[in-house]
Amino acid sequence: MTLDARSLLPIAEQAVSIASKIIRTKAPGVVTAKGDRDMATEVDYGVEHAVREFLSRETSEIGFLGEEEGISRLGNGLIWALDPVDGTANFLHDIPLCGVSLGLVDKDTPTLGVIDLPFLNLRYAAAEEAGAFANGTAIRVSDAQEMQSAIVAIGDYAVGENAGERNRPRLALTQELAARVQRIRMFGSAAIDLAWVAHGRIDAAIMLSNNTWDTAAGVIIAREAGATVVDLDGSPHSMTAHATIAASPKLVADLVELIAETRKAVVFARTIAE
């Protein structure tokens, strides 16, 4: 389906405004366990229901994927991807680093994104070939040139099944980054990681995972702000990528090389131990 994503920005902004109001005004409510140390609140479900209903009225031809209830509507090559509360653990603990993330995906490429951080009064928006904006003002990725001056955000450590095994490369990467970059940050929200790369508040973000609802909006916002966004091997990022690495362009090659070396070392150490 061919569509100018810019024409859908007003609808996406309306949907996110509905979500943001719910997040700002409702208590978390009943918490539903989704697995080991993974949960959803009544607000997560409430936001997803409200946004899905709104978008089904406004864009019935476009599919919908929500983190909590999966695909509820199939579209003709286009799909909305929603994380109703990105940073649920933060939200539960009254930490203001959380928000709603809504992206539009064309096949496996995001073309539009809106991220609202209601407790920080920040809204990020972008559409393909239209630039990226924070509260209506154009934003640009940082001009960081070298690792030692970079602030790098890393995604949350894994929980749930095989968490220990999945965290081996994450922990090893944390150690290697600590020896090379200016500072490491873990905000607990993929949306914030990617939006703040776009805004130049941090210089890079590394997530050794890639869920469509987590990254669709942030990836297009980062790209439109001038960031390079790639998979583990340095190839262009898509929704089928294994990881999400977004950075100021001159940092990308060094980050990809460091991640590859770290992963090889983890595999080698595990082989020796066995």
Side-chain angles (χ1 to χ4, degrees), residues 176 180 254-266:
E176 293 301 321
R180 290 168 170 79
D254 287 342
L255 288 171
V256 169
E257 181 180 0
L258 177 61
I259 292 167
E261 291 175 353
T262 302
R263 294 177 76 228
K264 287 179 183 177
V266 168

Side-chain angles (χ1 to χ4, degrees), residues 77-79 104-111 210 212 215-216 219 223 236-241:
L78 293 175
I79 191 164
L104 179 68
V105 179
D106 185 351
K107 298 181 178 63
D108 67 353
T109 302
T111 59
N210 180 42
T212 301
T215 60
V219 165
R223 279 182 172 152
H237 181 276
S238 72
M239 292 296 96
T240 58

Side-chain angles (χ1 to χ4, degrees), residues 32-205:
T32 301
K34 300 198 298 183
D36 174 35
R37 292 167 289 162
D38 190 15
M39 74 296 290
T41 69
E42 284 186 38
V43 169
D44 289 82
Y45 289 107
V47 167
E48 189 161 315
H49 291 164
V51 171
R52 183 179 61 246
E53 289 176 6
F54 173 78
L55 291 175
S56 69
R57 294 194 304 270
E58 299 294 324
T59 59
S60 59
E61 73 283 7
I62 299 176
F64 184 88
L65 168 67
E67 178 182 8
E68 306 308 337
E69 296 185 345
I71 293 177
S72 60
R73 193 170 66 251
L74 293 174
N76 187 17
L78 293 175
I79 191 164
W80 293 108
L82 174 74
D83 191 333
V85 182
D86 189 52
T88 297
N90 287 349
F91 177 59
L92 265 173
H93 288 268
D94 205 24
I95 297 170
L97 300 180
C98 59
V100 55
S101 176
L102 178 66
L104 179 68
V105 179
D106 185 351
K107 298 181 178 63
D108 67 353
T109 302
T111 59
L112 175 157
V114 181
I115 292 170
D116 193 272
L117 310 179
F119 303 119
L120 301 180
N121 296 313
L122 275 171
R123 176 170 295 183
Y124 296 92
E128 195 170 38
E129 299 183 0
F133 300 85
N135 290 350
T137 300
I139 55 176
R140 193 72 186 166
V141 69
S142 82
D143 63 353
Q145 310 266 328
E146 53 190 20
M147 298 268 277
Q148 66 184 22
S149 63
I151 292 183
V152 179
I154 57 174
D156 275 342
Y157 297 127
V159 296
E161 188 176 355
N162 296 323
E165 186 66 23
R166 289 185 289 141
N167 279 329
R168 289 179 188 272
R170 289 170 167 83
L171 291 165
L173 179 60
T174 301
Q175 182 175 353
E176 293 301 321
L177 284 169
R180 290 168 170 79
V181 303
Q182 187 177 81
R183 291 292 188 276
I184 298 171
R185 295 291 181 258
M186 183 183 283
F187 300 119
S189 163
I192 288 176
D193 289 352
L194 292 165
W196 283 359
V197 168
H199 207 168
R201 293 186 166 192
I202 59 176
D203 305 297

Side-chain angles (χ1 to χ4, degrees), residues 226-250:
T228 300
V229 190
V230 298
D231 198 353
L232 280 173
D233 60 359
S235 61
H237 181 276
S238 72
M239 292 296 96
T240 58
H242 294 93
T244 307
I245 303 159
S248 178
K250 292 187 177 179

